Amino acid sequence: MGTLSGKTALVTGASRGIGRGIARKLAQEGALVAVHYGGNEVAARGTLALIEEEGGRAFPVRAELGVPGDVEALYAQLEDGLAGSSVGPELDILVNNAGMSGSARIHEVTPELFDRLFAVNTKSLLFLVQRGLKNLRDGGRIINVSSAATRIAYPESVVYSMTKGALDTFTLALAKELGGRGITVNAVGPGFVETDMNAGKRATPEAAAQLAGWSVFNRIGQPSDVAEVVAFLASDASRWITGQCIDTSGGSRL
């Protein structure tokens, strides 16, 4: 029996990277996991296959975020998937991981980049939570995937950093808003993690070594490093923690 046995969870952006690691870990702990993805069905099927191989339960949810109708499309599929797994529409854990990057210094930012990043990383997340509160049980968990870029100046991706700063503020306000329902709201702030998103930044041994040097442990993070913390925040053991952003950057730039 895992710490999340009998729980239901939705992980957005779970087809690859950190999201895949989180989905796998929650399933390993006994949760039934809705694996959300935007368009890469092959990658999403890969996540589902890994979960099933490890003895977990999961089902796919496809919805492109940051476009009209995204929230309702996602929850319609979520509720169908839950019903197909013989459980009700209730949700215990909502992990907001989906997001997009966009490297641009201040003089490189365009209105199109700004609008797209905020649409996916901030706007869609807010309305996913708003709609999800109809399904989220009292005593539930909301976990937002932020970034160490809210703590460490990273001018190379100024708009991306801004979206994550907004997410941290949202986490704080929402924690107070939902405290009366016993729902905890927290965030995790990864640094550089070995995912497709930053593959180009570690394309050479020298570049990879530079990224590893950000952490006091002199290595690049793995999705499991973040997923373990998310699983803790999703469990009953974290019941007295809310409104926090837990740094999961391996002590980057301490």
Side-chain angles (χ1 to χ4, degrees), residues 136-150:
L136 195 65
R137 287 190 175 96
D138 289 354
R141 300 286 186 264
I142 297 174
I143 301 138
N144 300 319
V145 177
S146 181
S147 170
T150 63

Side-chain angles (χ1 to χ4, degrees), residues 8-251:
T8 57
L10 166 63
V11 182
T12 66
S15 63
R16 298 179 295 171
I18 293 174
R20 172 180 281 186
I22 292 170
R24 291 177 66 184
K25 181 59 182 177
L26 298 186
Q28 288 168 6
E29 292 296 333
L32 168 63
V33 180
V35 173
H36 163 263
Y37 68 103
N40 193 335
E41 183 174 357
V42 172
R45 292 292 176 186
T47 301
L48 294 168
L50 286 169
I51 289 173
E52 291 168 3
E53 289 170 7
E54 294 163 349
R57 297 189 301 149
F59 61 89
V61 172
R62 179 175 185 171
E64 182 182 355
L65 300 182
V67 300
D70 54 357
V71 171
E72 288 304 324
L74 189 153
Y75 279 99
Q77 291 187 58
L78 172 68
E79 292 178 356
D80 286 347
L82 291 172
S85 299
S86 300
V87 297
E90 292 81 17
L91 194 64
D92 297 289
I93 303 156
L94 170 58
V95 181
N96 293 301
N97 168 75
M100 63 178 295
S101 63
S103 297
R105 291 179 177 271
I106 183 61
H107 58 280
E108 300 168 325
V109 175
T110 64
E112 293 77 16
L113 176 67
F114 182 94
D115 290 346
R116 181 60 178 159
L117 285 179
F118 268 90
V120 174
N121 294 1
T122 309
K123 181 181 178 179
S124 68
L125 185 150
L126 183 150
F127 288 104
L128 277 171
V129 171
Q130 182 191 69
R131 171 61 180 80
L133 292 177
K134 298 178 183 179
N135 297 75
L136 195 65
R137 287 190 175 96
D138 289 354
R141 300 286 186 264
I142 297 174
I143 301 138
N144 300 319
V145 177
S146 181
S147 170
T150 63
R151 176 177 63 82
I152 305 167
Y154 197 60
E156 295 89 339
S157 294
V158 61
V159 179
Y160 172 81
S161 300
M162 291 171 66
T163 67
K164 295 301 186 178
L167 177 57
D168 286 359
T169 302
F170 179 59
T171 298
L172 185 64
L174 196 63
K176 187 168 185 177
E177 180 76 17
L178 300 180
R181 290 183 55 188
I183 296 171
T184 67
V185 186
N186 293 290
V188 294
F192 287 112
V193 178
E194 194 170 310
T195 66
D196 293 345
M197 183 177 288
N198 59 40
K201 296 177 181 177
R202 48 185 171 81
T204 67
E206 293 77 15
Q210 184 176 15
L211 294 190
W214 280 59
S215 166
V216 298
F217 303 117
N218 197 36
R219 70 171 174 86
I220 300 173
Q222 297 296 314
S224 59
D225 294 324
V226 181
E228 295 275 357
V229 180
V230 172
F232 164 71
L233 292 173
S235 74
D236 186 59
S238 70
R239 61 191 175 277
W240 206 234
I241 301 172
T242 197
Q244 304 302 304
C245 182
I246 309 300
D247 188 273
T248 52
S249 72

